[in-house]
Amino acid sequence: MHDDRERVANLLGATALAITDDLLSAPASASRLSMSAAAALIVLRADPGVSVTELGRRVGLTQSAAVRMVDGLERDALVERRRTIGNWTGVHPTAKGRRTAGQLLTSRTSQLTGVLDGLGDTEIHHLGTLLAKLLDGLYQASGSADRMCRLCDRAACTPDGVECPVGAADRAAARAAAEDEARTDHG
C-alpha cells in the first residue's frame, strides 16, 4: 500500500505540474498579463471594490507589489481606483478589465476541460468527488479560500446549487471559530 501511495502521489505531482505549466501560459496567450495580474482581474470581476492591500493578499503579493501591479493595470485601462468613504479606495475593473477577465476564464476553462477529454462521464464524476475532498484538505492546511480560488470561475464551480468545496470548508471553519469563541466567552 505504501508503494501505491507514493506512486499515486508522484502521478498527482506530475499531473499538477503539467496542468500548472499550461495554466501559467494561459494569461500570456490570452493577454500580456502576469499570472498575478490575471488573477487580480478575475478576483475583481467576482468582487469589485476591494482595496489594493486586500487584492494583493488574495493574489499572494506584498502591499508594495500589489500597488505596482494595480498601477500597471490602471495604465492599461483594465482597472480604476475609486475613492469611497474617507481615505478608503477600492479597485474596480473597467469594462475592458471585465472583458479581459472573461477571456482569461474562458481560456482557463478550455484548457482544463481539455485535460478531462480522456475520461468518461462516470470517471469525471468520481474525479470531482475526489478533488472536492482534496480541496477540503488543502483548505484545512492553508485556511485561505480567497487565495485558493483566485483563478476560479465561481459560476462553473457552483452549477445548479452545487456547493463549492472550498467555500464549504471556509464556512465550516468560520462556524467552528465562532463556536470556540462562544465557549471561551461563556467558559
Side-chain angles (χ1 to χ4, degrees), residues 91-107:
V91 181
H92 295 263
T94 61
K96 180 182 176 185
R98 286 188 300 278
R99 280 192 308 277
T100 301
Q103 292 165 349
L104 290 165
L105 285 173
T106 298
S107 174

Side-chain angles (χ1 to χ4, degrees), residues 83-119:
R83 181 156 292 204
T84 57
I85 300 168
N87 286 334
W88 195 83
T89 302
V91 181
H92 295 263
T94 61
K96 180 182 176 185
R98 286 188 300 278
R99 280 192 308 277
T100 301
Q103 292 165 349
L104 290 165
L105 285 173
T106 298
S107 174
R108 176 183 178 273
T109 299
S110 176
Q111 287 182 298
L112 290 173
T113 55
V115 170
L116 301 175
D117 283 348
L119 301 177

Side-chain angles (χ1 to χ4, degrees), residues 56-156:
R57 185 191 68 75
R58 291 188 190 186
V59 301
L61 296 176
T62 64
Q63 204 276 335
S64 59
V67 168
R68 288 190 302 275
M69 177 193 63
V70 170
D71 287 345
L73 290 170
E74 200 167 35
R75 274 191 304 277
D76 292 340
L78 296 167
V79 302
E80 61 186 13
R81 290 176 171 98
R82 294 184 196 159
R83 181 156 292 204
T84 57
I85 300 168
N87 286 334
W88 195 83
T89 302
V91 181
H92 295 263
T94 61
K96 180 182 176 185
R98 286 188 300 278
R99 280 192 308 277
T100 301
Q103 292 165 349
L104 290 165
L105 285 173
T106 298
S107 174
R108 176 183 178 273
T109 299
S110 176
Q111 287 182 298
L112 290 173
T113 55
V115 170
L116 301 175
D117 283 348
L119 301 177
D121 290 345
T122 302
E123 291 168 316
I124 289 171
H125 176 76
H126 289 306
L127 179 60
T129 301
L130 293 172
L131 290 172
K133 191 171 184 175
L134 287 175
L135 284 167
D136 179 70
L138 290 168
Y139 173 84
Q140 301 309 321
S142 77
S144 178
D146 288 333
R147 179 119 169 85
M148 286 179 68
C149 298
R150 68 189 182 277
L151 287 173
C152 283
D153 182 344
R154 292 168 192 243

